[in-house]
Amino acid sequence: MCLNDYGSPTLVLQKCRYAKIGAMNETLGLIVNRKSTREFLAKAIPEETKADIIGATLRAPTAGNLMLYSIIEVNDQAAKDTLAVSCDHQPFISRAPWVLLFLADYQRWFDYFEFCGTGDFARRAGLPVRTPAEGDLMLACCDALIAAQTAVIAAESCGLGSCYIGDIMENYETHRDLFKLPRYTFPICLLCLGYPTEAQKARLSTSRFDQEFIVFKNSYRRLGESEFEKMFAKEQARAFKNSEELDGAVNVGQLIYRRKFTAGFTMEMNRSVKAILKQWDND
Ligand SMILES: Cc1cc2nc3c(=O)[nH]c(=O)nc-3n(C[C@H](O)[C@H](O)[C@H](O)COP(=O)(O)O)c2cc1C
């Protein structure tokens, strides 16, 4: 049985449509049927399989073909145990057979620039002398996340399940020291991978919002009252099935505001990300 973000079972609301897409071609089937895996068999992943997945990952699209990311394979059990605590207390991280940390990384290029004498070159050529900044960071984050998602799909095709850990953006100081992260890197996501248990395979997929609320044509469209009611109707009915109030909240918006938007881990993530951004700041 799957527990969703509110700690309750969820239904596949669009099961029929998914099944139809899945029948269309194998790749779509793989993507549509993927679900996060948080319980793994104690079965080692063959090195060849890992190599295949990493090989596919490195073929991900990358801005300017610069590969503005690095991947750290976390084999050390003590490091995994630390992550299981520092990433908002998620014990399954320490049990994951394969843990990959994806970094947005401008450090490698910046070091290479210095190696190539780009400072003198820029002054002679009348080019700006600069260090990596916000735009460079965003681009590097795009690269790292696209690589991570490529790893997810590659792993899925090899029978491996995976789960993102966004909480890697918390507790920056701990992660910086643990992985010796230099200034122009940003730990953007962690992936836990392994063979899923039977229970994980059997659990229902989580639902998604209908596409009319997510996909727009030509310009952005802010949603109004009636659309919000429609968008959240199923979730409202499900979450408040047994009680009119949950933690003082009477609707999904209030519930998410309390349990996610103002939760301790979110506050910590924002503090931690600010600390990372300070490092990227030019001065
Ligand atoms: C950026 C990002 C961060 C996430 N962080 C976590 C996390 O810290 N812990 C966790 O258990 N799942 C995490 N997830 C997984 C989501 O909870 C999951 O994708 C979502 O509930 C939908 O379920 P599904 O992947 O099974 O379809 C994360 C997913 C993304 C994309």
Side-chain angles (χ1 to χ4, degrees):
M1 170 132 332
C2 149
L3 292 184
N4 75 356
D5 288 347
Y6 317 113
S8 316
T10 55
L11 295 171
V12 183
L13 300 175
Q14 295 166 316
K15 202 171 181 182
C16 299
R17 198 189 307 160
Y18 284 178
K20 205 169 136 209
I21 294 171
M24 279 168 62
N25 84 41
E26 211 178 309
T27 307
L28 288 177
L30 192 85
I31 292 169
V32 164
N33 291 313
R34 180 215 57 82
K35 47 199 170 187
S36 295
T37 298
R38 299 179 181 87
E39 285 170 36
F40 306 99
L41 295 178
K43 177 179 162 189
I45 304 164
E47 288 305 316
E48 315 83 74
T49 304
K50 288 184 180 177
D52 286 347
I53 293 166
I54 293 292
T57 298
L58 300 185
R59 294 305 308 165
T62 155
N65 205 12
L66 297 178
M67 300 183 82
L68 300 170
Y69 62 95
S70 290
I71 304 168
I72 298 180
E73 189 173 359
V74 186
N75 292 325
D76 181 35
Q77 189 57 48
K80 285 192 203 177
D81 294 346
T82 300
L83 289 168
V85 176
S86 63
C87 295
D88 194 33
H89 304 274
Q90 302 193 73
F92 75 90
I93 299 172
S94 50
R95 297 191 293 270
W98 199 25
V99 175
L100 299 176
L101 169 59
F102 286 79
L103 303 172
D105 182 2
Y106 232 106
Q107 189 69 52
R108 182 169 44 239
W109 272 101
F110 190 62
D111 289 346
Y112 183 59
F113 288 158
E114 293 210 314
F115 172 78
C116 290
T118 56
D120 284 347
F121 168 71
R123 275 183 281 272
R124 275 199 318 276
L127 298 170
V129 177
R130 61 179 291 264
T131 52
E134 295 85 347
D136 307 300
L137 169 61
M138 293 305 287
L139 208 60
C141 287
C142 292
D143 261 20
L145 287 171
I146 289 165
Q149 183 57 16
T150 303
V152 164
I153 299 302
E156 198 76 18
S157 77
C158 298
L160 291 172
S162 62
C163 188
Y164 278 95
I165 304 291
D167 298 284
I168 191 66
M169 285 188 275
E170 291 157 38
N171 293 305
Y172 170 59
E173 299 77 4
T174 303
H175 301 145
R176 177 194 60 201
D177 296 350
L178 190 60
F179 300 110
K180 302 185 171 49
L181 303 182
R183 180 175 180 188
Y184 296 121
T185 57
F186 190 113
I188 189 72
C189 71
L190 191 76
L191 272 187
C192 294
L193 301 117
Y195 294 103
T197 60
E198 285 307 314
Q200 283 286 294
K201 280 194 215 166
R203 81 167 173 82
L204 295 172
S205 294
T206 53
S207 60
R208 294 292 190 268
F209 295 121
D210 283 347
Q211 90 177 39
E212 65 179 294
F213 307 115
I214 308 292
V215 183
F216 304 137
K217 286 213 185 332
N218 298 318
S219 58
Y220 189 84
R221 194 167 56 78
R222 290 182 73 175
L223 304 182
E225 203 174 311
S226 62
E227 287 175 298
F228 280 133
E229 265 167 19
K230 196 172 165 204
M231 180 174 174
F232 287 96
K234 284 173 193 151
E235 197 51 41
Q236 176 76 25
R238 191 202 56 72
F240 293 90
K241 193 172 61 183
N242 300 322
S243 158
E244 282 186 2
E245 220 182 272
L246 286 171
D247 287 349
V250 296
N251 56 43
V252 174
Q254 292 177 4
L255 198 58
I256 293 293
Y257 192 90
R258 162 160 284 184
R259 293 191 179 171
K260 297 278 182 194
F261 195 62
T262 58
F265 72 86
T266 302
M267 305 310 263
E268 165 51 26
M269 186 179 291
N270 282 295
R271 182 210 65 79
S272 176
V273 167
K274 268 199 188 111
I276 308 177
L277 294 180
K278 240 187 197 168
Q279 294 210 134
W280 280 69
D281 209 0
N282 279 340
D283 291 304

